[in-house]
Amino acid sequence: MINKLVVKIQKTNAPIVVGLDPMLNYIPAHIQKKAFQEYGETLEGAAEAVWQFNKEIVDKTYDIIPAVKPQIAMYEQFGIPGMTAFKKTVDYCREKDLVVIGDIKRGDIGSTSAAYAVGHLGKVKVGDKTYAGFDEDFATLNPYMGADSIQPFIEVCREENKGIFVLVKTSNPSSGDFQDQLVSGRPLYELVGEKVAEWGETHMGDTYSYVGAVVGATYPEMGKILRKIMPKAYILVPGYGAQGGQGKDLVHFFNKDGLGAIVNSSRGIIASYKQEKYAKFGPENFGDSARQAALDMIEDISSALER
Amino acid sequence: MINKLVVKIQKTNAPIVVGLDPMLNYIPAHIQKKAFQEYGETLEGAAEAVWQFNKEIVDKTYDIIPAVKPQIAMYEQFGIPGMTAFKKTVDYCREKDLVVIGDIKRGDIGSTSAAYAVGHLGKVKVGDKTYAGFDEDFATLNPYMGADSIQPFIEVCREENKGIFVLVKTSNPSSGDFQDQLVSGRPLYELVGEKVAEWGETHMGDTYSYVGAVVGATYPEMGKILRKIMPKAYILVPGYGAQGGQGKDLVHFFNKDGLGAIVNSSRGIIASYKQEKYAKFGPENFGDSARQAALDMIEDISSALER
């Protein structure tokens, strides 16, 4: 799957991922209204609005992007109907041949980690049969519990040719509370980065590892160092756009082959119709607005990489 | 809810929580067979087996224990039907007046963290209505992303009188990979513990905080230190029994008032019928076996506390 991701990035010439994080207030009124007419102002109604919104975004962008990243919290908040919308979204994106990165940030140990791994990337056994619960291509993971929390995922990834992105340095203001603490004079996130590189050696694709890392666009200097520590790890970069990151900040997240990083934007694309810059599209054409915002993001990053 | 937890622990004289982590191989053949006859060897069949298993464990223990801790990974692995079994379990335990600790170990930032918080502990808005997605009483959280990941939960907890347990020092062998790294000569978990105490001050119950901590039974010396760093935090202690912890190792997790800690056992109770010690019950009477194992655990901890 890491090989597929690389090929798709090369084909589209777009090292970006569209974050499908559909907060209700991103979803235009006409979509919400229609969903509520059919299902009422219920969890089912909210889930239907989320699904219709996602479908339109995907239909209008799937040919120009390599990957999507649904943020499961935005679905989980709507209980079972929300989780069903998550699964429908994952399935639909895979039908459209998009690489699906489940932004689930799970982290647990032993048999519990294995249960998350089979549920999201692998197949669970029921009697003599096997089933894929959610079936994303990649999952994001939290490393706080150590190797015990990552290894069961790597085992499932080997069987399924799937991959993970481990949180190393996150994009939020308080990411430094623990990640930046100095251990023998070096920040903790560097140690985590070293572990990611080490784990990555055990499950390599053609040129990059199935074990990637998350490093926020908001910390470009740290990205530069982490790039060197984890030369074969694909870096998933959140924090572009709405959180403050720009194309020019991102060049050091990439390797000299022009690969090695994939930059996420959520709000900046899926809710772009709310920005003055894209207001001309109007809420009715939020999908076209998303396409234009994605094209602009690709251009911003490409031209920064060319310089 | 922390006050309710304390009262229930005092009433039952049982500072324990039963971990509802139903792996399929814990579930006796007769339960699986019946579920598969009704739903086939499907995700729905697995979910039904999980639910029937849980119901029997709860029916046989609810009067002698204060709380349960369903581990969501064990449900999530079965996709949507599994999540539905999780919700049914949470609802049923609350009907039985048990305190429900959702072992979800979520951790994300800003609006994403808020989405997890409303989904698991609070209520989500849909139009003019509000709904509780999963509705646990407490949730476990991962602190790696810093204060940004915890604050949105504390806000929801204030509104709902609910609480959280933040991972500080976990029970697994590789928990030391990052948690034990020395920061200015002190392990990282102590810093996390200090933050837990600080966050806890902002949402206090009568004697204990709504912000608790997770510290593994397998590290009693660290528990002793963390107890002092976080005097008002309830400590949720995994790792008893199957993972190696014993009553005598646990005394320092408690305060002098005999309170301040709640010890989890999962496999050691719910799958006790598989142990030689409880073999006399047989698979048919796994619920009675669970009750006896819970009583034995209460006795083990109580007598250690008395000494």
Side-chain angles (χ1 to χ4, degrees):
Chain A
M1 196 49 72
I2 187 68
N3 300 334
K4 180 177 174 181
L5 181 63
V6 171
V7 167
K8 283 198 69 103
I9 289 170
Q10 288 173 318
K11 256 192 200 163
T12 53
N13 202 16
I16 74 160
V17 52
V18 173
L20 297 175
D21 309 3
M23 313 228 332
L24 270 189
N25 63 11
Y26 295 172
I27 302 179
H30 70 281
I31 301 269
Q32 292 196 46
K33 200 176 156 193
K34 197 169 166 228
F36 293 160
Q37 273 169 353
E38 198 170 348
Y39 294 93
E41 286 183 350
T42 59
L43 294 176
E44 287 75 12
E48 171 69 9
V50 162
W51 157 242
Q52 293 297 342
F53 178 73
N54 282 351
K55 187 174 175 301
E56 177 70 8
I57 300 277
V58 171
D59 285 344
K60 288 286 165 71
T61 55
Y62 77 94
D63 57 322
I64 57 167
I65 60 170
V68 291
K69 181 177 74 62
Q71 166 52 262
I72 200 169
M74 294 303 171
Y75 304 80
E76 211 165 311
Q77 68 179 329
F78 298 116
I80 305 297
M83 293 301 273
T84 305
F86 178 80
K87 176 153 179 50
K88 267 169 97 166
T89 299
V90 171
D91 289 348
Y92 188 71
C93 292
R94 291 193 57 176
E95 270 172 43
K96 291 283 186 185
D97 202 36
L98 288 163
V99 172
V100 179
I101 302 168
D103 198 352
I104 63 174
K105 295 190 181 71
R106 300 302 193 247
D108 214 299
I109 55 171
S111 57
T112 309
S113 179
Y116 277 133
V118 299
H120 285 279
L121 301 181
K123 294 183 191 75
V124 70
K125 263 198 91 152
V126 181
D128 294 326
K129 308 237 171 83
T130 58
Y131 298 92
F134 292 104
D135 215 12
E136 301 104 296
D137 297 313
F138 286 85
T140 57
L141 297 184
N142 186 312
Y144 187 68
M145 300 179 88
D148 298 338
S149 63
I150 308 296
Q151 289 305 346
F153 268 88
I154 294 179
E155 279 162 39
V156 169
C157 284
R158 272 185 219 277
E159 282 164 28
E160 305 283 341
N161 280 322
K162 293 188 171 181
I164 54 176
F165 291 98
V166 179
L167 301 185
V168 174
K169 172 66 187 170
T170 58
S171 62
N172 53 310
S174 74
S175 68
D177 282 356
F178 307 121
Q179 297 164 24
D180 292 2
Q181 293 293 338
L182 295 181
V183 177
S184 310
R186 298 168 59 214
L188 179 68
Y189 60 77
E190 290 191 18
L191 266 77
V192 179
E194 279 170 12
K195 281 282 181 190
V196 166
E198 192 185 309
W199 296 328
E201 289 293 337
T202 69
H203 187 26
M204 280 294 298
D206 291 340
T207 47
Y208 284 93
S209 173
Y210 285 83
V211 180
V214 175
V215 183
T218 42
Y219 300 104
E221 286 307 312
M222 299 174 185
K224 199 169 171 175
I225 294 163
L226 287 164
R227 176 70 287 169
K228 283 180 192 140
I229 291 176
M230 315 174 291
K232 291 173 189 166
Y234 238 84
I235 302 181
L236 172 63
V237 188
Y240 176 89
Q243 283 183 56
Q246 290 183 299
K248 64 179 171 52
D249 302 325
L250 296 172
V251 289
H252 298 299
F253 289 82
F254 290 83
N255 277 319
K256 284 188 181 147
D257 58 6
L259 295 168
I262 185 162
V263 184
N264 179 76
S265 176
S266 303
R267 213 178 334 166
I269 291 179
I270 68 173
S272 60
Y273 75 94
K274 291 189 159 198
Q275 292 175 38
E276 213 183 303
K277 187 175 173 190
Y278 301 102
K280 64 175 183 225
F281 288 101
E284 288 289 333
N285 302 308
F286 69 95
D288 297 308
S289 177
R291 184 181 180 90
Q292 188 56 53
L295 288 168
D296 292 348
M297 179 182 174
I298 294 166
E299 172 59 26
D300 177 38
I301 293 174
S302 299
S303 60
L305 285 179
E306 277 161 24
R307 274 196 299 271
Chain B
M1 196 50 69
I2 187 68
N3 300 335
K4 180 176 173 181
L5 181 64
V6 171
V7 167
K8 283 198 68 100
I9 289 171
Q10 288 173 318
K11 257 193 202 164
T12 53
N13 202 17
I16 74 161
V17 51
V18 173
L20 297 173
D21 309 3
M23 313 229 330
L24 271 190
N25 63 10
Y26 295 171
I27 302 179
H30 70 281
I31 300 267
Q32 293 197 45
K33 198 176 160 194
K34 195 167 168 229
F36 294 160
Q37 273 169 355
E38 198 170 349
Y39 294 94
E41 287 183 351
T42 60
L43 294 176
E44 288 75 12
E48 172 68 10
V50 161
W51 158 241
Q52 292 298 342
F53 178 73
N54 283 350
K55 187 173 175 301
E56 177 70 8
I57 299 278
V58 171
D59 285 344
K60 288 285 164 69
T61 56
Y62 78 94
D63 58 320
I64 57 167
I65 61 170
V68 290
K69 181 175 75 61
Q71 165 54 260
I72 200 169
M74 294 302 170
Y75 305 80
E76 211 165 310
Q77 67 179 329
F78 299 116
I80 304 297
M83 294 300 274
T84 305
F86 177 79
K87 178 156 177 46
K88 267 169 99 167
T89 299
V90 170
D91 290 348
Y92 188 70
C93 292
R94 293 192 56 176
E95 271 173 42
K96 292 283 186 186
D97 203 36
L98 288 163
V99 172
V100 179
I101 301 168
D103 197 352
I104 63 173
K105 297 192 181 69
R106 301 301 192 246
D108 214 300
I109 55 172
S111 57
T112 309
S113 179
Y116 277 132
V118 299
H120 285 279
L121 300 181
K123 295 183 190 76
V124 68
K125 263 198 92 155
V126 181
D128 294 326
K129 309 237 172 83
T130 57
Y131 297 92
F134 292 103
D135 215 13
E136 300 104 297
D137 297 312
F138 286 85
T140 56
L141 297 184
N142 186 312
Y144 188 68
M145 300 179 86
D148 298 338
S149 63
I150 307 295
Q151 289 304 344
F153 268 88
I154 294 179
E155 279 162 39
V156 169
C157 284
R158 272 185 217 278
E159 284 164 28
E160 304 283 340
N161 280 321
K162 292 189 173 181
I164 54 177
F165 292 97
V166 179
L167 301 186
V168 174
K169 171 67 187 170
T170 56
S171 61
N172 54 310
S174 74
S175 68
D177 282 355
F178 306 122
Q179 297 165 25
D180 292 2
Q181 293 293 338
L182 295 181
V183 178
S184 310
R186 297 168 60 215
L188 178 68
Y189 60 77
E190 288 191 19
L191 265 77
V192 178
E194 279 170 10
K195 281 283 179 187
V196 166
E198 193 185 309
W199 296 328
E201 289 293 338
T202 68
H203 187 27
M204 280 294 298
D206 292 341
T207 47
Y208 284 92
S209 173
Y210 285 84
V211 180
V214 175
V215 183
T218 42
Y219 300 105
E221 286 307 311
M222 300 174 184
K224 197 170 173 177
I225 294 163
L226 287 164
R227 175 70 288 168
K228 284 181 190 138
I229 291 176
M230 316 175 292
K232 291 172 189 166
Y234 238 84
I235 301 181
L236 172 63
V237 188
Y240 176 89
Q243 284 184 54
Q246 290 183 299
K248 63 180 173 50
D249 303 324
L250 296 170
V251 289
H252 298 299
F253 289 83
F254 290 81
N255 276 318
K256 283 187 181 146
D257 58 6
L259 294 167
I262 184 162
V263 183
N264 179 75
S265 177
S266 303
R267 215 179 331 166
I269 291 178
I270 67 174
S272 60
Y273 74 93
K274 292 189 157 199
Q275 294 175 37
E276 211 181 306
K277 186 176 174 188
Y278 301 103
K280 63 175 183 227
F281 288 100
E284 287 290 331
N285 301 308
F286 68 96
D288 296 307
S289 177
R291 183 182 181 89
Q292 189 57 50
L295 287 169
D296 291 347
M297 179 181 174
I298 293 165
E299 171 60 24
D300 177 39
I301 294 173
S302 300
S303 60
L305 285 177
E306 275 161 24
R307 275 195 300 271

